[in-house]
Amino acid sequence: MDIRSFLSTIVSVLVALFVYGLFIMYFGGDPLDAYYRMFRNSYLDPNGLYETLRLAGSLAILSAGLSLVFKAGIWNIGAEGQYIIGGIAAGYMIYVFNIGFETPVIPILVGMLVGSLYSAVPAYLKYKLDVNEVLTTLMLNYVALYILYYHVYGVWRDPSTFGFPVTPEISMGFRLPDILGMNFLFPLSIIVSIVAYYILFRSKYGFKLRVYGENREAAKYSRYNLFTLIVGSMALSGLASGLAGTGDFLSYYHRFKPGYAAGLGYTAIITTLVGESNPIYTLISSIFFAGFLYGSNTISIVAGVPFEGIYIFEGVLLAFIISRRYIGRWVKWMGAENS
Amino acid sequence: MPPILEARNIWVVYGDGTIANKGVSISIEKGEIHGLLGENGAGKTTLVKVLYGVVQPVSGEIYVEGSRVERLTPSKARSLGIFMVPQHSILVSTLTGYDNIKLSYPYEDLDDKLDNILSELNVLIELDKPVHELPRGMLKKIEVIRALISGAKLIILDEPTSVMSPIEVQELIRMLDSLANRGVSFIYISHRLDEVVEICDRITVLRDGSVVYTGEVGDVSEVYRKMFRSDLSYEKFRLVKEQFNIERVKIDGLLEMPKEGVHVILGVEGNGQDVLARRIVSKLGEYGFVGFVPGKIEEAIVPNMSLVDNLRFRVVDDDGLDYIKLTERIVERYEVITESIYKPISKLSGGNIQRFVVGRELELSDKYTVLEFPTRGLDMRSMKLIHRRVQEAVERGVSIIYFTEDIEEALEVGDLISIIYRGRLNGPYRVGDINIDKIKMLMSGIGW
């Protein structure tokens, strides 16, 4: 990331914070105080830090997968659906099929595989029929969401909860343990980010993905196998989303409920774009966003702002990140004026 | 009467430190056709971008009809009557010529104005067909008319004839002449000296960002000498090769390929060259790597990647290659001007990008190379350089299919010549077996 795009990212974040601050003021809060408390609760408080890093882990794994496709210019909006469907596939390994012994390994592998297949479908349609992947992946998110509801409100509902839409808690043997006091996913996300970075910037495959992302014609001109590029990168991205979905299920929720679909797959689009589709940067942006996501609870308590206010922040930021190139130019222009 | 446009002491420095214009001054009188000449990278494009307000100079003054203009922008330039017709058409290809004009001048008196201009000019303009059905010469004329309707006093033409047939060039020149007589001024950027001599009243020659000559056209060889950095002599090319070893490789019944030689496909662009080139490349691809310079050079580069990566992406699966060394070799042998081979290729000027791509394809291929208009838009020196490298590749054992529009070039580089017209091929002829008049006839569709 050169200095200019770094600066324009910072400017984008500051503007989004400013707009969100106006929103907080509208509800009668003090933005600076709210941001300060949010920071304290998310990063300095031990419980808050645990939650922040858990969220950061999920976001970073999702973002690592999205980096691969975004760099290839493929817009996978379906991380959310791949996350959910991966989790449910893992659920089948636990609730339905009895494999005889309790281990998180098999549900995880199955969850990753199914998440991967779920994103390979729109990828294949794009490859074969040139179907716009934005539409198909987005629509498949809703398919996954209603499949989740079907299981939570229906077949898997725990009868002992007197009607609450939750599934039974899984037994200890299936759960992923904490590592050094951190949720399993955070250390895992560091490894996943490094692997994704290696694929994208150190392997031939990643190089071809980047060429394809920069100039489709150039990739065709060099006779790259477009099947392995389009379907392969989407499958890898689905693999990561499935891992995140399964991981949250096995390490944190231990059951399904409607809130399991918390929109992390959408937030990951923003963390990936903020991190310029570089898995090392997305790890950092995920930690920042996780703090914000967790901290927005704080804001809703101390400033009386509805929790949904976070989406204003995300929306403004997204708009600015997408127009970053122009902001970059503006930053350059300001620099030229001053010097 | 003050000049219609005058620029004084223009300095342009780009963000990467390149100084593209070093104190350039130019003035264009009313009714004048002013030629702007120079090698690739001499600063012509930068200068006209300044005059049209796309690029801001770091210092210098611009006067329009005697009054100083600050911070010129394209919209301000247009309102002052300065228009630009870029090298590649920016008309909306699915709309008719008339609708394209209407897009930029959506007012009620359009029809009257159009009638006036057309009846005065006495040139044939096809306004009722979608422009993608029209030949390129016609597009250029429509773009000029469009600028006039919108109130142009000065029109900047960037390489207007680069993809036109000789007849179309003559028609365009006739039209520009009669417009100049009516007081419209032109800046005419070109590499083609013969045209410039024919059409321009005065010229300005740029070299390395500075003006080296401005004034009457005068002695052509003098102008030619000024354009280039030094006098260079190149070995003469053999017109007919004595040893011509033809092992006829049939390509799908489409054309024959000489073993170790150059088969030129000659014809005005838009007669099916691109389809043919792609078909040949995909057919030959069965035998391994095929060098290919496509007609649209931007399909052959990854703009934001370095020169090294722009070499690497062609042969990424080949582990035995030293990409860095090869890139350095191409940069040196093809005179690509760049500060570093790790700079993004998009920072290079058009001519440098083209020489790099041509060099890359020739250096990488050991059997076959297909070159689609490899010297288009290049100056004479670069053209000669590429011809020489093509011959060297042939001596190395490479067979080459070479697309060109230029008869002289065809005779210079070719061993075999076929003429392409509306998707059909006539030939191949051995150079020396066909006379130039016949070629000219075939190129313009006569004698098929």
Side-chain angles (χ1 to χ4, degrees):
Chain A
M1 197 185 293
D2 62 18
I3 185 73
R4 230 203 302 165
S5 63
F6 176 72
L7 281 178
S8 60
T9 304
I10 298 295
V11 170
S12 307
V13 171
L14 290 178
V15 172
L17 283 175
F18 177 75
V19 173
Y20 188 45
L22 293 179
F23 188 68
I24 292 170
M25 282 168 74
Y26 175 78
F27 280 89
D30 172 358
L32 290 180
D33 179 58
Y35 288 148
Y36 169 67
R37 289 200 199 199
M38 183 175 85
F39 176 77
R40 211 178 50 190
N41 280 1
S42 299
Y43 296 106
L44 302 181
D45 171 70
N47 289 330
L49 186 62
Y50 180 90
E51 293 287 335
T52 299
L53 291 187
R54 172 192 78 80
L55 284 164
S58 295
L59 284 174
I61 292 171
L62 289 160
S63 306
L66 288 181
S67 295
L68 295 176
V69 282
F70 283 7
K71 263 277 187 279
I74 300 167
W75 301 107
N76 179 11
I77 311 299
E80 179 77 4
Q82 294 142 25
Y83 170 101
I84 295 171
I85 217 77
I88 291 172
Y92 267 88
M93 290 298 111
I94 294 168
Y95 293 129
V96 180
F97 305 114
N98 193 341
I99 45 175
F101 54 96
E102 293 182 356
T103 167
V105 176
I106 291 171
I108 283 185
L109 292 179
V110 171
M112 287 166 75
L113 184 70
V114 172
S116 177
L117 288 174
Y118 201 66
S119 68
V121 172
Y124 187 74
L125 290 174
K126 178 182 174 63
Y127 166 72
K128 199 75 190 170
L129 303 172
D130 201 23
V131 178
N132 187 325
E133 76 278 12
V134 173
L135 298 175
T136 45
T137 53
L138 182 64
M139 289 302 123
L140 283 174
N141 287 347
Y142 292 97
V143 175
L145 186 65
Y146 288 104
I147 290 175
L148 171 72
Y149 289 167
Y150 167 74
H151 289 89
V152 172
Y153 289 101
V155 288
W156 288 352
R157 187 192 288 207
D158 185 355
S160 66
T161 57
F162 305 106
F164 276 106
V166 294
T167 64
E169 279 212 316
I170 57 174
S171 51
M172 295 304 290
F174 288 115
R175 298 184 187 183
L176 286 167
D178 282 359
I179 293 174
L180 304 170
M182 290 181 282
N183 179 284
F184 190 86
L185 288 194
F186 186 69
L188 180 65
S189 75
I190 295 174
I191 296 169
V192 171
S193 297
I194 292 171
V195 170
Y197 178 84
Y198 183 85
I199 293 174
L200 205 43
F201 293 102
R202 292 283 178 270
S203 78
K204 284 180 193 171
Y205 181 70
F207 180 71
K208 288 181 182 176
L209 277 182
R210 285 184 289 131
V211 168
Y212 179 72
E214 289 271 350
N215 187 351
R216 298 266 190 276
E217 294 303 325
K220 287 180 200 157
Y221 160 71
S222 285
R223 305 171 144 256
Y224 290 174
N225 183 334
L226 297 187
F227 179 84
T228 60
L229 292 184
I230 299 172
V231 182
S233 64
M234 278 287 276
L236 283 174
S237 155
L239 207 64
S241 305
L243 175 62
T246 315
D248 273 346
F249 168 49
L250 299 179
S251 72
Y252 183 71
Y253 294 108
H254 303 142
R255 59 171 22 144
F256 290 109
K257 50 187 180 178
Y260 169 72
L264 291 182
Y266 294 114
T267 302
I269 294 170
I270 301 172
T271 54
T272 309
L273 290 174
V274 170
E276 298 208 319
S277 303
N278 178 327
I280 302 301
Y281 299 145
T282 61
L283 182 60
I284 298 165
S285 65
S286 295
I287 295 171
F288 170 78
F289 258 85
F292 214 88
L293 270 184
Y294 178 71
S296 55
N297 284 316
T298 317
I299 288 187
S300 64
I301 293 161
V302 301
V305 178
F307 174 80
E308 285 73 16
I310 181 77
Y311 298 124
I312 290 183
F313 174 74
E314 288 193 1
V316 172
L317 184 54
L318 183 60
F320 270 86
I321 290 298
I322 288 170
S323 46
R324 169 156 52 191
R325 215 147 37 101
Y326 304 99
I327 299 172
R329 238 180 255 167
W330 178 71
V331 169
K332 186 189 177 191
W333 186 71
M334 290 298 285
E337 290 284 291
N338 293 336
S339 62
Chain B
M1 186 190 247
I4 185 99
L5 176 71
E6 188 179 6
R8 286 185 203 156
N9 202 22
I10 298 289
W11 284 80
V12 175
V13 183
Y14 283 120
D16 59 0
T18 317
I19 306 175
N21 277 179
K22 302 171 185 165
V24 174
S25 299
I26 189 170
S27 86
I28 290 98
E29 306 292 334
K30 188 169 158 66
E32 178 189 20
I33 302 180
H34 193 108
L36 187 55
L37 293 164
E39 280 187 283
N40 294 119
K44 299 181 304 256
T45 310
T46 300
L47 178 60
V48 297
K49 279 183 177 167
V50 169
L51 299 181
Y52 189 56
V54 179
V55 168
Q56 296 299 330
V58 289
S59 75
E61 295 146 27
I62 294 172
Y63 298 84
V64 176
E65 292 177 291
S67 48
R68 174 98 187 254
V69 182
E70 300 280 355
R71 265 198 181 273
L72 191 65
T73 60
S75 61
K76 204 189 264 182
R78 280 194 296 271
S79 69
L80 292 167
I82 304 168
F83 284 72
M84 170 111 179
V85 175
Q87 186 173 358
H88 299 289
S89 164
I90 50 163
L91 297 174
V92 182
S93 62
T94 49
L95 293 182
T96 63
Y98 179 81
D99 288 343
N100 266 291
I101 293 171
K102 199 167 182 177
L103 269 181
S104 61
Y105 190 82
Y107 304 109
E108 276 179 17
D109 57 338
L110 171 64
D111 291 349
D112 295 340
K113 275 187 132 180
L114 204 51
D115 283 344
N116 276 339
I117 289 178
L118 292 183
S119 61
E120 268 187 50
L121 279 181
N122 191 27
V123 287
L124 181 74
I125 311 266
E126 184 85 68
L127 285 174
D128 299 328
K129 271 192 190 161
V131 297
H132 67 83
E133 291 177 12
L134 299 174
R136 279 152 207 270
M138 189 62 78
L139 298 188
K140 209 52 89 178
K141 284 193 261 179
I142 291 173
E143 283 184 285
V144 170
I145 298 281
R146 184 166 77 150
L148 286 173
I149 296 271
S150 311
K153 294 172 189 161
L154 169 67
I155 301 177
I156 301 165
L157 297 164
D158 191 1
E159 296 279 348
T161 57
S162 60
V163 287
M164 281 187 202
S165 68
I167 296 162
E168 289 178 316
V169 172
Q170 287 309 317
E171 276 185 36
L172 183 73
I173 287 178
R174 207 157 53 85
M175 175 170 156
L176 297 185
D177 255 339
S178 71
L179 283 171
N181 290 336
R182 286 172 174 77
V184 183
S185 312
F186 294 92
I187 295 178
Y188 190 95
I189 304 173
S190 185
H191 287 120
R192 302 191 176 185
L193 270 173
D194 52 342
E195 275 171 38
V196 170
V197 171
E198 188 177 343
I199 189 174
C200 294
D201 305 305
R202 290 192 308 151
I203 56 168
T204 294
V205 181
L206 289 179
R207 197 173 75 197
D208 288 334
S210 308
V211 175
V212 290
Y213 178 79
T214 185
E216 306 280 318
V217 179
D219 183 5
V220 177
S221 61
E222 183 71 0
V223 172
Y224 187 78
R225 205 178 58 73
K226 286 199 168 85
M227 267 174 71
F228 298 101
R229 272 178 224 121
S230 54
D231 289 310
L232 287 147
S233 64
Y234 288 97
E235 66 266 43
K236 288 246 172 193
F237 292 97
R238 295 159 293 174
L239 260 185
V240 182
K241 298 220 175 61
E242 294 308 323
Q243 297 207 323
F244 191 59
N245 176 13
I246 303 177
E247 184 199 79
R248 294 188 161 187
V249 185
K250 283 249 178 187
I251 298 165
D252 235 345
L254 276 172
L255 85 151
E256 287 149 4
M257 193 144 184
K259 191 184 181 193
E260 295 159 32
V262 180
H263 187 160
V264 170
I265 313 282
L266 178 61
V268 178
E269 202 198 355
N271 277 299
Q273 285 95 331
D274 200 49
V275 176
L276 179 62
R278 273 158 212 283
R279 194 133 169 229
I280 295 168
V281 170
S282 84
K283 189 76 192 160
L284 290 175
E286 294 163 16
Y287 304 99
F289 181 85
V290 183
F292 178 36
V293 175
K296 285 190 189 131
I297 214 83
E298 58 271 24
E299 288 177 8
I301 60 166
V302 188
N304 292 330
M305 289 190 175
S306 68
L307 293 180
V308 177
D309 280 346
N310 264 286
L311 170 79
R312 186 157 85 103
F313 91 89
R314 289 291 284 147
V315 279
V316 63
D317 291 317
D318 189 341
D319 291 312
L321 281 175
D322 183 341
Y323 301 117
I324 293 166
K325 225 169 138 183
L326 199 50
T327 308
E328 279 167 352
R329 183 180 151 87
I330 293 165
V331 165
E332 194 203 313
R333 278 171 55 80
Y334 290 83
E335 298 177 6
V336 179
I337 299 162
T338 177
E339 280 159 31
S340 152
I341 56 171
Y342 300 104
K343 260 177 89 164
I345 197 165
S346 57
K347 301 270 182 199
L348 269 54
S349 76
N352 279 312
I353 292 175
Q354 180 147 346
R355 282 199 300 279
F356 179 80
V357 171
V358 173
R360 179 183 74 193
E361 299 306 309
L362 282 173
E363 294 294 316
L364 285 175
S365 48
D366 49 1
K367 276 199 230 99
Y368 303 111
T369 304
V370 177
L371 304 170
E372 216 184 319
F373 309 116
T375 58
R376 180 166 59 200
L378 293 181
D379 56 58
M380 195 54 91
R381 179 191 156 104
S382 304
M383 212 161 128
K384 293 282 180 206
L385 177 71
I386 283 172
H387 292 170
R388 207 164 39 152
R389 298 289 179 243
V390 165
Q391 292 305 321
E392 285 168 10
V394 168
E395 278 151 30
R396 226 171 55 225
V398 181
S399 306
I400 291 169
I401 300 272
Y402 194 111
F403 289 85
T404 179
E405 306 182 304
D406 193 281
I407 298 174
E408 252 175 77
E409 185 177 26
L411 295 174
E412 200 164 293
V413 299
D415 300 309
L416 292 177
I417 294 186
S418 295
I419 289 95
I420 186 166
Y421 186 77
R422 305 221 164 172
R424 287 162 63 202
L425 275 177
N426 192 316
Y429 300 94
R430 281 180 57 169
V431 171
D433 290 353
I434 181 170
N435 73 36
I436 293 180
D437 287 335
K438 175 148 192 222
I439 295 178
K440 283 181 181 164
M441 276 168 62
L442 287 170
M443 278 179 79
S444 41
I446 304 160
W448 283 76

